[in-house]
Amino acid sequence: MRAKAVIISLLTNPGIIAVVRAQKAEQVIPLSEALIAGGVIAIEITMTTPNAIEAIRDARKKLGERAVIGVGTVLTEKVCLDAIEAGAEFVVTPICRTEFVAIARAADRPIMLGAYTPTEAQTAHEAGADFIKIFPADTLGPGYIKALRAPLPHLRIVPTGGVDVHNVAEFFKAGCAALGVGGSLVTAKILQQADWPALTRYAAEFVNAARAAKG
């Protein structure tokens, strides 16, 4: 089992976290293989995926050390515990549920609490969150992140929603630790057509954009 510090390093380098909302559990392994082939190794399997807990367990078993498999859209303590028991290496919630921190900490897993306002972001940080998920970020943009970090530079921010290959550089320049990328990477069309070669190409584009932004 990886140490928490190692997982954090893998989440932030290259810093692209694929947010996977698969249409069926059977898609998780092939789409994960496609992401890995493109250089995206941080894979967040959301609880909106059918049979998500088993999908996480299967992904951890089959992908081994080649990927960092986490759980997303965690809304209850039971789901948080079940996902970690299934092998999730990081926990993401879109809401500021500070009670999840103790669960993740006990398992030595990084946790990302959701926030939208400066108060929520700081509350999540003070509760012990390793990252702050700014969500939804599509209406906020890189300018909001830059403004937020001006008085709160200690926050490790991961925006989700509205991140695409064209604004990757802007988000990183605004001071983001990593980026959560959903529908602009694992698109509905790719899922419908099982077009895994296209997913590998998209993943490589995001990774290249992230590395270029980081110099």
Side-chain angles (χ1 to χ4, degrees):
M1 187 63 66
R2 294 185 179 101
K4 180 176 169 180
V6 173
I7 297 170
I8 288 174
S9 176
L10 293 171
L11 291 175
T12 54
N13 184 25
I16 301 296
I17 301 171
V19 181
V20 174
R21 296 184 178 91
Q23 297 168 344
K24 48 190 176 181
E26 296 76 36
Q27 294 177 318
V28 170
I29 296 300
L31 73 81
S32 295
E33 292 281 10
L35 288 167
I36 295 166
V40 173
I41 60 169
I43 301 170
E44 173 191 331
I45 300 171
T46 68
M47 288 303 300
T48 55
T49 296
N51 300 312
I53 297 296
E54 286 308 311
I56 290 167
R57 195 185 309 277
D58 191 38
R60 281 285 289 131
K61 180 180 177 182
K62 293 180 178 176
L63 299 174
E65 296 300 305
R66 295 187 296 129
V68 184
I69 304 296
V71 60
T73 322
V74 175
L75 303 180
T76 68
E77 292 181 57
K78 183 180 186 306
V79 166
C80 188
L81 285 163
D82 288 349
I84 289 173
E85 188 277 330
E89 293 188 278
F90 62 97
V91 177
V92 183
T93 174
I95 54 180
C96 192
R97 291 291 297 273
T98 57
E99 60 267 35
F100 295 169
V101 172
I103 297 172
R105 184 172 289 172
D108 199 35
R109 305 287 200 282
I111 183 164
M112 196 180 302
L113 293 185
Y116 192 75
T117 67
T119 297
E120 289 174 347
Q122 180 63 16
T123 298
H125 170 74
E126 290 177 4
D130 301 285
F131 298 98
I132 311 302
K133 171 176 177 164
I134 295 297
F135 173 83
D138 50 351
T139 56
L140 301 175
Y144 177 79
I145 306 298
K146 184 177 180 180
L148 182 64
R149 291 192 75 254
L152 304 169
H154 50 278
L155 298 182
R156 287 198 285 193
I157 292 174
V158 180
T160 305
V163 179
D164 60 44
V165 74
H166 304 294
N167 60 22
V168 164
E170 292 179 64
F171 273 111
F172 276 121
K173 286 175 184 175
C176 294
L179 310 178
V181 188
S184 61
L185 174 57
V186 188
T187 69
K189 183 178 179 181
I190 282 174
L191 291 175
Q192 289 163 4
Q193 299 180 354
D195 190 353
W196 311 134
L199 182 54
T200 294
R201 291 195 300 272
Y202 287 179
E205 289 176 6
F206 272 94
V207 169
N208 289 338
R211 287 178 174 156
K214 293 181 173 187

